[in-house]
Amino acid sequence: MANQTIRNKMQLRPMGSSGISASVIGLGTWAMGGWKWGGGDDKSSIDAVRASIDSGVTLIDTAPAYGLGRSEKLVGEAVKGRRDEVVLATKCGLVWHTDKGNYFLDEDGKKVHRYLGREAIFYEAEQSLKRLGTDYIDLYITHWQDSTTPIAETMDALLTLKKQGKIRAIGISNASPEDFRAYVAAGQLDAIQECYSMLDRGIEHTLLPLCKQYDVAMLSYSTLALGLLSGKIGPDRVFEGDDLRLKNPRFSIENRAKIQGFLQSIQDIAKVHNLSIAQTVIAWTLAQPGITYALCGARNVKQAAENADAGMVKLAGNELDQITQAIKHHLENFDDTEST
């Protein structure tokens, strides 16, 4: 039986000084777009979004680049009639309607560029509003940074959208400390979204101190390291098609064995609170200084409910210390050739 003194209801936290509060668990919808995740099932994705909301998750994170609009459309369909129950976050800056900026990658036959020019941001915002079926976006994030456009121009466009009521808060992703400072100098920055997990902790010494200094919220993505820390990817798991994990060095058999050893070492803590391994990892992540929200992907109802439950748990200080020590012991020599 779960310890009811620590499992109560979904925790909520403020998003910087934006006036917005959201659930500590955010639903990440990259995989719902299908691209780089071996395809997707639209009905299961829609059901997962609705199950997340039913379980207390209010923060839903998506982006145009997730399936070239597919993820946004699915989220829009899922929240129809429930818009006031959710905090919608989407992004701009990965474009395929223009070849301005710097080429980034090919997706489904389209050449995608990093571009954050003023007119492109206005265009992207309108497209996202249509796909999401809403007249405002709660958190609008620059997905990747664009070296061809001055940050002052990008921020001015975002502030204009905010004045127009089309967005409520401004965020940045995949940014350097220098980028962060430039955005702050140009206007109010409310949130950053960066890769952070037990295997990716570099921002603890770079961006998180800045977040504290300027009252900026932090959304962690790849919280479970693309599923590697979920406890569900053993040495026999085979990745196929365009799954981005297929050739990722992190998913080598040797690395999976190291992860398995670490996850076994925290089993007792998970059992005490009637948690899955994934929930325990998420709960530890949310307890780290400076981490405001943990984005967790889900493509079906079961995954959505499991992730949500992690937002209702607070691990004791000694348990957090025990997990941190286990990370150092088991993962100190982890092959980090390619970050997620």
Side-chain angles (χ1 to χ4, degrees):
M1 189 70 180
N3 184 341
Q4 296 300 320
T5 62
I6 64 164
R7 190 188 252 101
N8 186 10
K9 62 180 181 179
M10 178 64 69
Q11 302 172 65
L12 301 176
R13 290 177 181 169
M15 187 174 288
S17 56
S18 68
I20 300 170
S21 288
S23 58
V24 294
I25 299 295
L27 174 63
T29 65
W30 179 14
M32 292 182 187
W35 181 69
K36 288 294 185 181
W37 288 91
D41 181 283
D42 290 357
K43 183 181 184 304
S44 292
S45 295
I46 291 171
D47 288 346
V49 176
R50 291 172 177 168
S52 294
I53 301 171
D54 291 340
S55 299
V57 171
T58 64
L59 179 59
I60 312 293
D61 178 81
T62 185
Y66 299 165
L68 298 182
R70 180 180 180 186
S71 176
E72 283 189 322
K73 289 177 181 177
L74 292 173
V75 170
E77 178 65 25
V79 304
K80 193 176 296 182
R82 308 185 69 173
R83 178 65 181 89
D84 60 347
E85 298 179 51
V86 297
V87 173
L88 287 180
T90 193
K91 307 176 186 74
C92 61
L94 291 186
V95 300
W96 58 93
H97 72 281
T98 177
D99 60 1
K100 292 182 178 180
N102 289 318
Y103 168 77
F104 188 38
L105 48 76
D106 281 4
E107 180 177 351
D108 196 23
K110 303 287 187 181
K111 292 192 178 300
V112 178
H113 289 70
R114 294 187 190 181
Y115 185 57
L116 289 166
R118 182 181 180 86
E119 295 306 316
I121 288 176
F122 292 155
Y123 173 82
E124 283 202 89
E126 293 300 328
Q127 296 302 305
S128 289
L129 289 169
K130 290 177 183 177
R131 286 190 288 258
L132 291 167
T134 185
D135 56 2
Y136 70 96
I137 295 162
D138 295 290
L139 175 62
Y140 204 38
I141 303 166
T142 57
H143 200 157
W144 285 86
Q145 302 313 304
D146 164 31
S147 62
T148 71
T149 303
I151 286 176
E153 176 184 332
T154 298
M155 193 57 148
D156 183 66
L158 296 171
L159 291 170
T160 299
L161 289 173
K162 191 173 180 180
K163 289 177 183 176
Q164 293 173 346
K166 294 181 179 179
I167 68 174
R168 297 177 64 201
I170 295 170
I172 61 175
S173 185
N174 302 302
S176 68
E178 292 72 29
D179 294 329
F180 183 109
R181 293 188 180 93
Y183 275 99
V184 169
Q188 180 178 315
L189 182 64
D190 302 296
I192 66 170
Q193 182 178 136
E194 298 291 334
C195 178
Y196 181 86
S197 75
M198 292 172 167
L199 301 176
D200 304 278
R201 301 177 63 184
I203 64 168
E204 291 178 353
H205 309 292
T206 55
L207 289 167
L208 290 186
L210 290 172
C211 287
K212 181 178 180 180
Q213 180 181 352
Y214 291 99
D215 189 22
V216 173
M218 160 62 186
L219 293 74
S220 71
Y221 73 77
S222 202
T223 304
L224 294 174
L226 300 178
L228 192 57
L229 295 170
S230 68
K232 300 173 183 176
I233 297 180
D236 298 329
R237 175 73 175 272
V238 176
F239 301 104
E240 300 176 337
D242 72 345
D243 195 312
L244 77 168
R245 295 168 292 185
L246 182 62
K247 297 181 180 179
N248 189 328
R250 281 200 165 179
F251 288 81
S252 68
I253 299 300
E254 181 183 8
N255 282 343
R256 290 192 224 180
K258 290 179 182 179
I259 291 293
Q260 191 170 34
F262 161 69
L263 297 179
Q264 288 175 346
S265 74
I266 65 173
Q267 281 277 13
D268 288 345
I269 294 175
K271 289 178 180 178
V272 166
H273 300 294
N274 195 26
L275 298 172
S276 69
I277 287 296
Q279 289 170 327
T280 305
V281 170
I282 295 168
W284 176 89
T285 303
L286 285 169
Q288 301 313 296
I291 305 301
T292 316
Y293 311 106
L295 298 178
C296 306
R299 290 201 282 183
N300 58 56
V301 169
K302 183 179 179 181
Q303 292 173 353
E306 179 181 349
N307 291 342
D309 201 34
M312 306 176 194
V313 174
K314 289 184 179 180
L315 299 173
N318 64 310
E319 294 170 327
L320 294 169
D321 291 341
Q322 186 177 333
I323 293 172
T324 301
Q325 288 303 312
I327 294 171
K328 293 179 180 178
H329 178 71
H330 291 274
L331 306 179
E332 188 172 42
N333 297 316
F334 190 82
D335 181 3
D336 200 23
T337 304
E338 180 177 313
S339 62
T340 55

